[in-house]
């Protein structure tokens, strides 16, 4: 039976580049673009079918920042497919990123310039907010919604005699220093993106510990520094005009500046070709591009504490129960008023 592949956030950037590469690799797979904006998703589907006219490409409305949307989308997936082979968790947000201008110019002319651009460490802060489910928006979109999706799709992911893969798009900005177990939603901090990405790294490790025996394997990738809508939103356009020549110059000397979505999708594509047993569950697989433009993937060990990842997993299970309970009460109240 043909592979079933679901990609969240597939309408643009790295997600769309991945879809193009997957169809080029295997034109028989059943590809599902799980997106929040259906107009953009339809445009992405049309573009893919233009280059792959015989491909099986379906759309799925999914806002991973909404519990109800995740539950509805998961139910739809279960009616369409009998199994899921690959679940690429690529959707993510970094709302209202702000740059410390003094730190930017100081870092621009220092030895730390490459690390500054590659990770945003000491440079970026974001403004988060609470969503309609009472969760922090970045946490809900980048981590919890995807966790809930995995939980809902376990019947299709965990089947006897069948291996399935979950692949998280993480970041070099995923730093342990930004995450606090006492504040896992990052309500009190200024780096919710970094916190959520580090949490997804930990969750991947915990998923392997709990689900490998059931045939589910989880991996984490870093796309490198890619110029996408998310990246361009960090600085005003005139800044990018000024610094892009510098970035292309720096790219000659550092392999983390992948820059294009196609290059950034290298690790995501590479993992599609690997057997899950051959992968290191504690490694993050980095998309890299040489100065001559050659793409390759390199695993690097993550700074993850096993006990800490287990605590996070347990907390997410408890939060899932609480969110489901509140949703039942909310729907019950609506029915009563109706």
């Amino acid at each position: 039976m043909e592979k079933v592949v679901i990609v969240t956030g597939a309408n643009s950037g790295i997600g769309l580049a991945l879809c193009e590469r997957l169809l080029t690799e295997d034109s028989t797979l059943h590809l599902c673009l799980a997106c929040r904006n259906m107009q953009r998703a339809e445009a992405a589907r049309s573009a893919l079918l233009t280059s792959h006219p015989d491909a099986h490409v379906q759309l799925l409305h999914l806002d991973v920042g909404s519990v109800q949307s995740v539950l509805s989308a998961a139910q739809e997936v279960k009616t369409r497919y009998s199994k899921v082979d690959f679940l690429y968790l690529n959707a993510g947000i970094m709302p209202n990123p702000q740059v410390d201008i003094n730190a930017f110019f100081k870092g621009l002319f220092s030895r730390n310039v490459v690390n500054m651009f590659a990770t945003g460490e000491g440079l970026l802060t974001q403004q988060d907010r609470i969503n309609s489910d009472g969760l922090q928006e970045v946490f809900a979109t980048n981590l919890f919604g995807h966790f809930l999706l995995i939980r809902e799709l376990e019947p299709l992911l965990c089947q006897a005699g069948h291996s399935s893969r979950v692949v998280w798009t993480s970041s070099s900005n995923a730093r342990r220093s930004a995450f606090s177990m006492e504040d896992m939603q990052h309500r009190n901090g200024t780096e919710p993106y970094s916190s959520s990405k580090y949490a997804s790294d930990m969750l991947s490790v915990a998923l392997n510990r709990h689900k490998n025996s059931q045939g589910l394997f989880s991996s984490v990738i870093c796309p490198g520094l890619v110029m996408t809508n998310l990246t361009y939103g960090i600085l005003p356009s005139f800044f990018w005009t000024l610094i892009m020549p510098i970035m292309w110059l720096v790219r000659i000397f550092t392999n983390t500046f992948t820059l294009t979505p196609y290059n950034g999708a290298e690790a995501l594509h590479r993992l599609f070709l690997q057997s899950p047993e051959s992968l290191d569950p504690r490694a993050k697989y980095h998309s890299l591009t040489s100065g001559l433009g050659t793409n390759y993937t390199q695993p690097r060990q993550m700074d993850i504490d096993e006990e800490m990842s287990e605590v996070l997993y347990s907390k997410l299970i408890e939060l899932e129960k609480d969110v489901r309970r509140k949703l039942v009460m909310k729907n019950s109240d609506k029915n009563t008023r109706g």
Side-chain angles (χ1 to χ4, degrees), residues 88-109:
Y88 282 99
L89 305 176
N90 174 71
I93 60 170
M94 184 194 290
N96 305 309
Q98 297 181 338
V99 176
D100 184 328
I101 298 299
N102 290 331
F104 173 77
F105 280 109
K106 183 178 180 181
L108 188 62
F109 301 102

Side-chain angles (χ1 to χ4, degrees), residues 26-87:
D26 182 359
S27 61
T28 68
L29 60 81
H30 288 263
L31 182 62
C32 179
L33 314 185
C35 306
R36 178 175 56 182
N37 187 315
M38 296 308 290
Q39 184 176 359
R40 293 181 181 178
E42 185 58 57
R45 180 177 182 272
S46 297
L48 292 171
L49 291 177
T50 298
S51 54
H52 305 277
D54 297 324
H56 305 283
V57 183
Q58 290 188 311
L59 302 182
L60 176 71
H61 182 248
L62 170 64
D63 178 0
V64 286
S66 164
V67 171
Q68 185 60 66
S69 179
V70 172
L71 297 179
S72 298
Q75 187 59 41
E76 178 63 25
V77 170
K78 286 184 275 192
T79 63
R80 292 185 191 179
Y81 310 111
S82 60
K83 67 178 177 95
V84 172
D85 296 280
F86 282 83
L87 178 58

Side-chain angles (χ1 to χ4, degrees), residues 158-225:
C158 302
Q159 297 182 356
H162 172 246
S163 293
S164 63
R165 307 278 292 282
V166 169
V167 185
W168 301 79
T169 299
S170 183
S171 169
S172 57
N173 194 242
R175 300 194 317 278
R176 187 170 186 169
S177 61
F179 179 83
S180 169
M181 192 62 71
E182 289 70 37
D183 183 23
M184 71 174 181
Q185 294 194 45
H186 208 75
R187 295 184 186 277
N188 303 314
T190 58
E191 299 180 277
Y193 181 82
S194 179
S195 174
S196 68
K197 291 300 182 180
Y198 184 75
S200 68
D201 293 354
M202 285 197 294
L203 179 54
S204 180
V205 172
L207 283 170
N208 282 313
R209 189 164 52 249
H210 285 270
K211 299 299 179 181
N212 280 179
S213 62
Q214 300 175 45
L216 173 61
F217 295 82
S218 181
S219 301
V220 179
I221 74 97
C222 173
L225 179 63

Side-chain angles (χ1 to χ4, degrees), residues 203-264:
L203 179 54
S204 180
V205 172
L207 283 170
N208 282 313
R209 189 164 52 249
H210 285 270
K211 299 299 179 181
N212 280 179
S213 62
Q214 300 175 45
L216 173 61
F217 295 82
S218 181
S219 301
V220 179
I221 74 97
C222 173
L225 179 63
V226 181
M227 304 311 297
T228 64
N229 291 336
L230 188 152
T231 313
Y232 281 120
I234 294 173
L235 292 168
S237 58
F238 73 89
F239 269 102
W240 290 118
T241 303
L242 291 174
I243 68 175
M244 279 306 293
I246 298 174
M247 294 180 67
W248 281 101
L249 178 63
V250 171
R251 179 190 173 182
I252 299 175
F253 305 101
T254 178
N255 54 13
T256 59
F257 279 36
T258 50
L259 297 185
T260 71
Y262 181 92
N263 295 346

